[in-house]
């Protein structure tokens, strides 16, 4: 199985504060990888590093290597090319204050696609992939802000798919959603993994167990254990992992 990301001896500082320590991880292509761990342990910091979202934070310093498709994300990629290949969906649905159609075509247009027929095609296929086409096809010109929270989050996933990425990073994508919308996103993730590599941060253990192939347990900026999800949840090697998944802390 080919690796999508290879992280080697990565350290991340915010100013003097060491937020990630000696991270070593291979994230497999075409799989779902989950990051779990208590609040403040560095999950968001780490997932954001994978498409260089931390570049925007002034006193953030990264050491070590992050390889994507075998190439260094800092040295061998233009950041815009990297972010096109590695899309991101956030905790709170954040559609742009514009129509559903324009939300989806925003990315493709910035990448130079102008033809109306091509844009129409992208809108339909992205919404289909995000299981929204049937719901929304008759109101593409309406504001995205009028959608329910669950629909907004699926629209944000559709918007990410519209630029044809290889990887989708998701930081707690269902934490603001009701249980039914959460299940819809989980089903969506399971379908999407046939074509994309997915990395997801979640506080929901059942969710990690249901949808991921590999799980990393973070604690205080370190990866305590990283293994097949089955093993993490049935026979974790580390006592701290065991305690966390059994709800004994965090
Ligand atoms: N921009 C920043 N500047 C300084 N410190 C930061 C910054 N962002 C995060 N931190 C610190 O880094 C540590 C890890 O934060 P991070 O947001 O990655 O945790 P998390 O595991 O995602 O937590 P949660 O589960 O609550 O979302 C925390 O101590 C946090 O206060
Ligand atoms: Mg977080």
């Amino acid at each position: 199985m080919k690796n999508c990301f290879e992280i080697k001896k990565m350290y991340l500082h915010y100013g003097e504060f060491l937020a990630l320590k000696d991270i070593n991880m291979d994230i497999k292509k075409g799989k779902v990888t989950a990051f779990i761990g208590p609040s403040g342990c560095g999950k968001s910091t780490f997932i954001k590093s994978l498409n260089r979202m931390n570049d925007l934070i002034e006193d953030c310093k990264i050491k070590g290597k992050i390889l994507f498709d075998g190439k260094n994300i800092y040295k061998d990629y233009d950041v815009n090319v990297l972010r096109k290949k590695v899309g991101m969906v956030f905790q709170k649905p954040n559609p742009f204050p514009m129509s559903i159609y324009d939300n989806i075509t925003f990315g493709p247009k910035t990448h130079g696609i102008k033809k109306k027929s091509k844009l129409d095609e992208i809108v339909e296929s992205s919404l289909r992939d995000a299981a929204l086409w049937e719901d929304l096809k008759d109101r593409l010109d309406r504001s995205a802000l009028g959608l329910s929270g669950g629909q907004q989050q699926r629209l944000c996933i559709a918007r990410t798919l519209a630029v044809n990425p290889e990887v989708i990073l998701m930081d707690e994508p269902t934490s603001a959603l009701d249980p039914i919308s959460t299940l819809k996103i989980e089903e969506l993730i399971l379908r999407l993994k046939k074509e994309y590599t997915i990395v997801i941060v979640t506080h929901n253990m059942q969710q990690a167990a249901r949808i991921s192939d590999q799980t990393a347990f973070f604690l205080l900026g370190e990866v305590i254990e990283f293994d097949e999800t089955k093993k993490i949840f049935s026979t974790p090697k580390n006592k701290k992992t065991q305690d966390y998944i059994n709800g004994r802390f965090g």
Side-chain angles (χ1 to χ4, degrees), residues 38-45 47-48 91 171-172 201 203:
S39 194
C41 65
K43 304 178 298 295
S44 295
T45 297
I47 199 169
K48 280 191 285 184
Q91 183 169 5
D171 192 353
E172 299 190 52
V201 173
H203 275 281

